[in-house]
């Protein structure tokens, strides 16, 4: 493969892994889990609870590995109750070492947005799934941490430094699922507002989920002048109760690997009633 055809290395995978390991140690030391991961895991449990059939081989990646037992018991049907669960924390999601059609379900939350090849990771995961296998995922979408971006830009002053990871929107995520070969794709947005009394609590929460700067580009450390500008910007953003509201845009998504048993859309022109006729009885109500 020529150099020009290689995937751009936006993220430094060693830095990324180190930050996730630091986050794991911080949470273990403090004796709790991150409320962000709790929220994503609860969403996955709700989606699993809506499925009635049993699954037997499951792959869980990244921070979601801490919630394996919650997923196993999710819902009255407990569709993963007797499943063999593989926990993956050592490999990057775009370079996983598994065989084709090995799993019935793959669960990945909060990490796919920091791989160098997201389209490739989705294609790979689809190949790992058996026919009619399920991918459950969640990423941080565009608009996340807009307040923190503003504060870091103020801290940089006249300098221009890379800090924030690239983010995609819900439409792009849905398109990527289709391009990767998933059927019946669903993507929806979940907006969280998190209120903070001080900047250092916000930074602490970011570190608890391993979302520090993992970009390949080198970013110099902040000095006292940078910190002063950051705190000055924080004061400008404070609301009447002296708190600042940060935003986190989560994109939850799922898709199924192709199978001949899946429902298919009706052929164009096969409808028995035209759309115009279907809407006609309600036309008078709109006038």
């Amino acid at each position: 493969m020529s150099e020009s055809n290689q995937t751009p290395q936006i993220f430094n995978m060693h830095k990324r892994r180190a930050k996730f390991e630091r986050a794991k140690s911080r949470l273990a030391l403090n004796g709790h889990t991150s409320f962000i991961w709790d929220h994503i895991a609860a969403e996955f449990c709700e989606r699993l609870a809506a499925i009635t059939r049993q699954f037997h081989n499951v792959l869980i990646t990244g921070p979601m590995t801490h919630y394996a037992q919650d997923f196993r018991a999710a819902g009255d049907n407990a569709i993963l109750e007797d499943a063999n669960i593989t926990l993956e924390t050592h490999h990057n999601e775009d370079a996983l070492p598994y065989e084709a059609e090995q799993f019935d379900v793959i669960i990945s939350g909060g990490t796919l947005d920091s791989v160098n090849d997201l389209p490739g990771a989705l294609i790979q995961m689809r190949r790992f799934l058996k026919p009619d296998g399920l991918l459950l995922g969640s990423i941080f979408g565009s608009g996340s941490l807009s307040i923190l971006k503003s504060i870091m830009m103020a801290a940089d002053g006249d300098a221009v430094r890379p800090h924030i990871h690239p983010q995609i929107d819900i439409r792009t995520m849905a398109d990527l699922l289709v391009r990767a070969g998933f059927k019946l794709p669903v993507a929806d947005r979940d907006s969280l507002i998190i209120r903070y009394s001080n900047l250092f609590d916000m930074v602490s929460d970011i570190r608890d989920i391993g979302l520090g700067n993992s970009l390949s580009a080198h970013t110099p450390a902040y000095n006292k002048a940078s910190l002063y500008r950051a705190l000055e910007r924080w004061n400008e953003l404070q609301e009447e109760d002296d708190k600042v509201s940060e935003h986190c845009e989560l994109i939850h998504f799922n898709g199924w690997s192709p199978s001949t048993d899946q429902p298919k859309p009706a052929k164009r022109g096969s409808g028995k009633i035209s759309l115009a006729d279907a809407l006609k009885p309600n036309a008078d109500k709109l006038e």
Side-chain angles (χ1 to χ4, degrees):
M1 181 181 293
S2 67
E3 185 71 21
S4 60
N5 291 329
Q6 292 181 356
T7 302
Q9 299 300 295
I10 300 171
F11 299 100
N12 182 313
M13 292 294 102
H14 296 292
K15 288 170 62 176
R16 177 183 186 258
R17 189 173 299 112
K19 291 184 184 300
F20 278 122
E21 289 299 321
R22 181 182 68 177
K24 187 190 303 183
S25 299
R26 285 170 58 88
L27 293 174
L29 182 64
N30 296 330
H32 64 80
T33 56
S34 163
F35 67 91
I36 293 288
W37 297 147
D38 289 348
H39 183 84
I40 293 175
E43 177 68 26
F44 287 159
C45 285
E46 184 175 333
R47 296 187 181 218
L48 289 170
I51 301 171
T52 56
R53 81 174 207 243
Q54 294 292 309
F55 293 110
H56 304 290
N57 292 289
V58 183
L59 173 64
I60 305 176
T61 73
M64 292 298 104
T65 56
H66 299 295
Y67 300 90
Q69 295 309 313
D70 298 278
F71 301 147
R72 190 185 289 278
D76 295 335
N77 299 310
I79 63 172
L80 305 184
E81 184 176 10
D82 299 319
N84 299 313
I85 296 180
T86 300
L87 305 179
E88 175 57 70
T89 58
H90 302 296
H91 296 86
N92 304 329
E93 287 81 355
D94 53 357
L96 295 172
Y98 300 107
E99 301 293 332
E101 300 187 5
Q102 187 171 345
F103 301 104
D104 301 299
V105 183
I106 297 176
I107 299 174
S108 178
T111 56
L112 280 173
D113 43 1
S114 58
V115 295
N116 286 309
D117 186 7
L118 176 56
L122 293 172
I123 291 171
Q124 187 183 70
M125 288 181 168
R126 194 257 302 158
R127 289 173 178 165
F128 293 153
L129 286 169
K130 297 176 182 179
D132 209 27
L134 172 65
L135 170 64
L136 278 179
S138 184
I139 65 172
F140 295 95
S142 60
S144 293
L145 304 181
S146 57
I147 296 299
L148 183 60
K149 293 178 192 178
S150 171
I151 292 170
M152 288 193 295
M153 287 178 63
D156 288 340
D158 295 332
V160 178
R161 301 175 180 176
H163 294 290
I164 300 297
H165 296 180
Q167 298 171 341
I168 65 174
D169 58 24
I170 188 170
R171 182 184 296 274
T172 302
M173 188 67 239
D175 289 343
L176 287 175
L177 288 171
V178 173
R179 286 174 52 192
F182 285 98
K183 303 300 181 182
L184 309 175
V186 175
D188 51 71
R189 188 175 63 186
D190 184 4
S191 299
L192 302 180
I193 297 177
I194 310 159
R195 310 199 69 227
Y196 289 100
S197 299
N198 63 77
L199 174 59
F200 302 104
D201 284 346
M202 179 190 291
V203 172
S204 179
D205 280 350
I206 295 297
R207 289 176 174 171
D208 279 350
I209 56 177
L211 285 191
N213 187 344
S214 297
L215 296 171
S216 294
H218 174 67
T219 303
Y222 282 132
N223 54 30
K224 289 184 178 179
S226 300
L227 180 58
Y228 176 81
R229 288 192 293 267
L231 292 174
E232 197 172 47
R233 178 58 178 156
W234 176 273
N235 292 334
E236 293 173 356
L237 293 167
Q238 284 181 321
E239 300 164 20
E240 292 183 358
D241 59 357
D242 295 331
K243 292 185 178 182
V244 171
S245 299
E246 182 56 286
H247 304 81
C248 186
E249 298 290 332
L250 295 172
I251 299 176
H252 306 300
F253 59 90
N254 57 264
W256 298 82
S257 60
S259 170
T260 56
D261 298 329
Q262 287 169 343
K264 294 178 174 59
K267 294 181 179 179
R268 179 182 287 273
S270 63
K272 302 298 183 181
I273 303 176
S274 71
L275 180 60
D277 290 341
L279 294 176
K280 191 172 182 180
N282 295 316
D284 294 339
K285 299 177 183 179
L286 302 176
E287 293 179 353

